[in-house]
């Protein structure tokens, strides 16, 4: 079993404070345990390129000792694998560049990778950048060389109409173009994702954690979350928003509600638990 070390409750339950990172209240390690006895066998220090590791996913093929961990603040996907001597190593597989921004709390904005998954056939890896607002699809048939095959914008802090502006390397300001779905302006940024078993439908919600939602996307507290469906080209790669699917949690009887995890009744791409 491999576990991550994303943060101390006394830090993350109050919202994000950059000082807490300096104070060591957020993690950068993976812990390798023998199972089921629970003995700690190895600690992997991911360093500054692995700050705040969250979700861990192994390839679904049980013969392959390869997995990935999404590191939120570093905005990296780190690949780990078992070596011939039985120990584990790691390296950065994908890195999302922080963007220079105007009218925000910091001069640069990380993507903030908050969730990811691997398709059941181990061909594609998907992850969400909660702050930037995009979902990415990578071909990982060669796990050592991920290839970007799809990217779609469904929210984010520097979308068109926002006071926040991103700045390109050549100094030109720009904002992402985020469409409406069934007449609804998309709120917040993409967060939890879930893929259908055939790999053709990617579902996405937009609530991370209520204290963080209120801090970065206060409109979620006022209007609640929504769920979208992304249609996936599972052969060649590519994604598109399904214009006919929109679940609005503002209208819940006890709402507005904040939507997070999604699960299939019999097992899904993220749990690997089958009934």
């Amino acid at each position: 079993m491999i576990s991550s070390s994303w943060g101390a409750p006394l830090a993350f339950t109050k919202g994000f404070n950059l000082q807490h990172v300096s104070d060591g209240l957020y993690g950068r390690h993976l812990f390798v345990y023998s199972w089921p006895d629970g003995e700690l066998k190895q600690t992997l220090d991911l360093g500054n390129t692995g700050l705040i590791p969250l979700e861990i996913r192994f390839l679904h093929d049980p013969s392959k000792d390869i997995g990935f961990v999404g590191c939120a603040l570093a905005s990296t996907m780190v690949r780990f694998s078992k070596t011939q001597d039985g120990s584990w190593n790691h390296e950065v597989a994908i890195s999302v560049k922080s963007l220079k921004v105007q009218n925000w709390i910091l001069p640069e904005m990380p993507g903030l990778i908050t969730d990811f998954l691997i398709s059941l056939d181990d061909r594609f890896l998907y992850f969400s950048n909660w702050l930037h607002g995009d979902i990415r699809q990578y071909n990982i048939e060669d796990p050592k060389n991920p290839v970007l095959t799809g990217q779609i914008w469904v929210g984010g802090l520097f979308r068109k109409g926002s006071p926040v502006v991103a700045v390109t390397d050549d100094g030109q300001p720009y904002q992402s173009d985020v469409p409406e779905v069934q007449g609804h302006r998309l709120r917040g940024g993409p967060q939890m994702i879930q893929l259908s078993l055939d790999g053709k439908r990617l579902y996405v919600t937009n609530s991370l954690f209520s204290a963080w939602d209120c801090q970065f996307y206060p409109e979620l507290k006022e209007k609640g979350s929504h769920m979208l469906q992304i249609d996936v080209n599972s052969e060649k790669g590519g994604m598109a928003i399904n214009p006919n699917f929109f679940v609005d949690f503002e209208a819940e009887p006890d709402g507005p509600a904040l939507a997070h995890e999604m699960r299939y009744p019999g097992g899904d791409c993220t749990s690997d638990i089958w009934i």
Side-chain angles (χ1 to χ4, degrees), residues 74-75 95-100 108-111 132 136 168-169:
S75 298
S95 182
V96 176
K97 184 180 180 180
S98 292
L99 297 176
K100 295 179 181 179
E108 292 192 355
M109 181 190 296
H132 286 184
R136 299 191 185 191
T168 62
D169 290 337

Side-chain angles (χ1 to χ4, degrees), residues 185 187-188 206-207 210 213-226 248-252 254-258:
R185 179 182 180 274
R187 305 184 285 269
N206 53 353
S207 171
S210 58
D213 294 346
C214 293
Q215 180 179 1
F216 292 103
Y217 294 111
E219 63 182 340
L220 290 183
K221 181 179 181 181
E222 301 171 3
K223 298 184 178 181
S225 291
H226 52 61
D248 191 354
F249 290 90
E250 180 180 13
E252 286 295 299
D254 296 321
L258 297 174

Side-chain angles (χ1 to χ4, degrees), residues 112-265:
L112 207 75
I113 297 175
T114 52
D115 193 25
F116 83 98
L117 57 78
I118 298 171
S119 61
L120 285 180
D121 58 9
D122 288 338
R123 292 186 63 229
F124 292 104
L125 180 149
Y126 300 83
F127 66 76
S128 55
N129 285 309
W130 192 57
L131 295 183
H132 286 184
D134 60 312
I135 299 173
R136 299 191 185 191
Q137 176 197 54
Y138 285 81
N139 184 300
I140 57 166
E141 291 177 283
D142 178 0
K144 293 184 178 181
N145 296 289
V147 177
L148 180 65
T149 51
Q151 184 178 22
I152 193 167
W153 298 89
V154 295
L157 286 171
F158 54 84
R159 57 181 297 157
K160 287 184 178 179
S162 166
V164 180
V165 177
V167 181
T168 62
D169 290 337
D170 59 7
Q172 296 299 314
Y174 75 99
Q175 293 182 308
S176 58
D177 189 8
V178 179
E180 291 188 350
V181 179
Q182 294 188 349
H184 295 275
R185 179 182 180 274
L186 300 186
R187 305 184 285 269
Q191 212 287 99
M192 301 304 290
I193 54 178
Q194 185 59 263
L195 186 67
S196 62
L197 304 187
D198 62 5
K200 295 181 179 180
R201 300 179 307 281
L202 184 72
Y203 296 94
V204 55
T205 56
N206 53 353
S207 171
L208 173 58
F209 188 78
S210 58
W212 292 49
D213 294 346
C214 293
Q215 180 179 1
F216 292 103
Y217 294 111
E219 63 182 340
L220 290 183
K221 181 179 181 181
E222 301 171 3
K223 298 184 178 181
S225 291
H226 52 61
M227 180 166 64
L228 305 175
Q229 178 181 317
I230 309 298
D231 293 332
V232 175
N233 185 327
S234 59
E235 298 298 324
K236 298 180 180 180
M239 299 180 292
I241 297 174
N242 187 313
N244 301 314
F245 186 99
F246 186 87
V247 179
D248 191 354
F249 290 90
E250 180 180 13
E252 286 295 299
D254 296 321
L258 297 174
H260 190 72
E261 291 278 14
M262 294 160 284
R263 291 284 182 251
Y264 283 101

